[in-house]
Every structure is written in C-alpha cells, then in structure tokens.
Amino acid sequence: MRKTARDVEFEDAEEEFKPLTAEEAQRLREKSPSVSPWWVIAGQLMAGLLVALAAWGLTGRQNLGWSAGYGALSVVVPAAVFARGLTGRLSSLSPSTAMLGFFVWEMVKMALTLAMLLAAPRLITALSWPAMLVGLAVAMQAYWVALVFAPKRKKRENE
C-alpha cells in the first residue's frame, strides 16, 4: 500500500502526541485562563453604546444614534441568549449534549439576529441602515477588545 503525504503527516503527529500530566495541565490553564462569555457580552454592549453615542453626538441626528444602538443590540441580545443557553445545566450533562446544545443555541442566536434585523424598520423611526450596520459590525468585533481587557483570575492560596 502506498503512503501519501497526509498519512505520513498523521503518523508523525501520533508519534509526537504526549498527554499532559495534571501539573502541566494546571500550568496551561493558569497561563491562558478562560474568559466568561458575560464579560465579552458586556464589552460588546459597551462598544455598541459608545458607537451609538458617537453617531448621535457627531451628527446631531438622534435617529443615527438609535440606528447604531439597535444594530449593536442585534448582536448583544442574541449573544446573551446564546451564552445563557450554553451555560445552562443541560449543556454540561455530557459531551454529546454539549455539542447538540451548542448547535441548537447557535441556530437560535442566528434566527433571533435575523428577526431583529427584519424588525428594525418597524421599530426605529427613520432607520439609517448604514448606521445600524456600523453598530452591528462594531459590536461583533468588540469581543477582541473584551478579551484583551478581561480580568485575570487570581491564584488560589491553597495551590
């Protein structure tokens, strides 16, 4: 049987794989701690608020501020629903339940985002689509800032 480059690469990866010891895994977790999804959502909310205030303040047009703010809310509200669904009790029962829950809540998040965007013209007077899309884009990218400024976990005294 002829070996391909992929087969050789896979064999090399198997030979290099070494499970971590408990101490190595603990050091890895301390070096790069997980960030709460609620921290990221708070960062998205703050970024959305700032862009809405900037749109309103720089132009003097209230509808631009409301449009940008609604665009940000179209990201924040579905993300909060998604985070709540993923941090629920059912999602931690087993790996397969967690995976199924992730896909279900991701679909709920996408459907809610779409519903909010479709409802925007009825909810916002004199909706500005460009301002709304700017608010949406800023809130979607704000997680990078939230990750940079995330609070670091403190080491426990007994470790």
Side-chain angles (χ1 to χ4, degrees), residues 52-136:
L53 290 174
W56 187 351
L58 293 174
T59 64
R61 294 176 53 198
Q62 193 176 20
N63 71 312
L64 292 182
W66 286 113
S67 296
Y70 188 83
L73 283 178
S74 296
V75 172
V76 172
V77 171
V81 170
F82 177 72
R84 176 63 185 105
L86 287 185
T87 57
R89 198 173 39 158
L90 289 177
S91 65
S92 61
L93 291 177
S94 70
S96 59
T97 307
M99 184 178 68
L100 178 64
F102 177 84
F103 288 115
V104 167
W105 286 110
E106 182 64 26
M107 289 190 330
V108 167
K109 182 176 98 170
M110 289 188 302
L112 185 54
T113 301
L114 184 60
M116 288 182 74
L117 291 176
L118 291 174
R122 292 182 201 96
L123 298 174
I124 305 296
T125 306
L127 176 70
S128 168
W129 282 94
M132 186 181 76
L133 292 176
V134 167
L136 183 115

Side-chain angles (χ1 to χ4, degrees), residues 21-34 153:
T21 65
E23 294 84 24
E24 291 171 332
Q26 182 64 32
R27 280 196 306 269
L28 183 63
R29 276 194 293 283
E30 288 171 358
K31 194 166 118 178
S32 51
S34 62
R153 285 190 185 171

